[in-house]
Amino acid sequence: MAAPKTTPPPEPKPAPCPVCNGSGEVSRPVRVGRKHRVVGDQTGMCLNCFGSGEAPA
């Protein structure tokens, strides 16, 4: 009789990026004028994890 097949355990999920908290996006203030007043936020790709949301190895 053959041994029962076992499935390998699922791989653990990678830790989320500490900079973007796993979203892959970060907000930066938008500044305008000579006094560089802040008029809002602009979202962009997280440069720590390159938008993947996973902590770099």
Side-chain angles (χ1 to χ4, degrees):
M1 184 169 185
K5 291 185 178 179
T6 58
T7 58
E11 293 185 22
K13 292 184 180 179
C17 175
V19 176
C20 65
N21 297 323
S23 69
E25 294 181 344
V26 291
S27 295
R28 300 293 297 171
V30 176
R31 300 172 188 270
V32 296
R34 285 189 325 195
K35 297 182 181 178
H36 295 284
R37 14 180 206 110
V38 177
V39 294
D41 287 331
Q42 181 178 14
T43 59
M45 183 176 76
C46 176
L47 297 178
N48 190 42
C49 65
F50 296 108
S52 68
E54 300 173 357

